[in-house]
Amino acid sequence: MFVRECNIDDAENLVQLIGKVESSSEFMMFGAGERSVTPEGQRKMISHFQSSPNSTILLAENNNNLAGYLVVIGGDVKRKQHSALVVIGINEKFRGQGVGTLLFEEMERWAKDVPLNRLELTVVCENLSAVHLYKKMGFQVEGTKRNSLCIDGKYFDEFYMGKII
């Protein structure tokens, strides 16, 4: 298993991975089939991120199969360029096998070179495995967003978490 930056040629495989993650996770922002993710759209996003000094997409790869992704979305305005939003997704087959840890470790190395000072993410409070991972990686709960998501008619709170590098 290794982690690398995403490139344009990864667009189709990334689309498939995003679809697998969204269809197998009950706590992602988007549910299965809820949005249209296309290879062309991914190519545009990858290209945009490649030209952005404080944004990237990292991929965890195992035997030529994508196991997970971590997206870092850096701030565009001058006063927010030191900060980035983090989004992670791991293929169901690879959950609990250290993929998230590898992605976060590589992201932190990358972030220090950028340099970024602050990383942020949100997570459904009931997603205990994700909350555990984020705390293990040094993120702290900074607040709670009440009734932040409505999934299948049920409201869920989200933790707002941050990490100063």
Side-chain angles (χ1 to χ4, degrees):
M1 180 84 59
F2 67 98
V3 176
R4 62 178 176 79
E5 281 196 81
C6 185
N7 63 60
I8 297 289
D9 295 335
D10 293 312
E12 290 189 34
N13 289 333
L14 182 56
V15 167
Q16 291 175 8
L17 177 59
I18 291 169
K20 286 178 188 175
V21 169
E22 290 179 352
S23 68
S24 66
S25 175
E26 62 183 306
F27 294 124
M28 295 296 286
M29 174 72 74
F30 295 98
E34 191 173 336
R35 65 179 171 149
S36 175
V37 181
T38 65
E40 183 56 33
Q42 287 304 300
R43 280 190 279 280
K44 286 179 183 177
M45 185 175 81
I46 293 165
S47 178
H48 172 72
F49 279 27
Q50 287 175 331
S51 67
S52 173
N54 61 352
S55 298
T56 194
I57 302 170
L58 299 174
L59 300 175
E61 190 171 329
N62 184 43
N63 296 325
N64 295 318
N65 293 310
L66 295 184
Y69 61 87
L70 189 145
V71 181
V72 181
I73 306 166
D76 288 332
V77 298
K78 188 173 184 175
R79 292 182 179 187
K80 291 290 285 178
Q81 289 176 343
H82 70 286
S83 181
L85 176 66
V86 177
V87 177
I88 187 171
I90 300 171
N91 184 328
E92 183 176 35
K93 291 186 221 176
F94 295 97
R95 292 180 191 149
Q97 298 179 33
V99 175
T101 299
L102 288 174
L103 285 163
F104 272 99
E105 289 172 346
E106 182 60 30
M107 183 226 14
E108 191 159 330
R109 281 190 286 277
W110 174 87
K112 287 178 180 177
D113 288 341
V114 170
L116 287 174
N117 174 265
R118 176 179 172 77
L119 301 169
E120 306 172 348
L121 57 82
T122 60
V123 59
V124 172
C125 298
E126 293 179 27
N127 189 349
L128 300 180
S129 60
V131 171
H132 174 77
L133 171 65
Y134 304 151
K135 286 182 176 180
K136 178 177 102 172
M137 301 313 299
F139 284 78
Q140 296 178 340
V141 174
E142 297 180 337
T144 303
K145 297 166 62 175
R146 304 278 180 218
N147 289 357
S148 181
L149 295 177
C150 184
I151 302 171
D152 296 328
K154 181 180 176 190
Y155 291 100
F156 290 88
D157 296 345
E158 284 186 298
F159 287 135
Y160 192 86
M161 299 181 79
K163 177 178 181 174
I164 304 300
I165 299 176

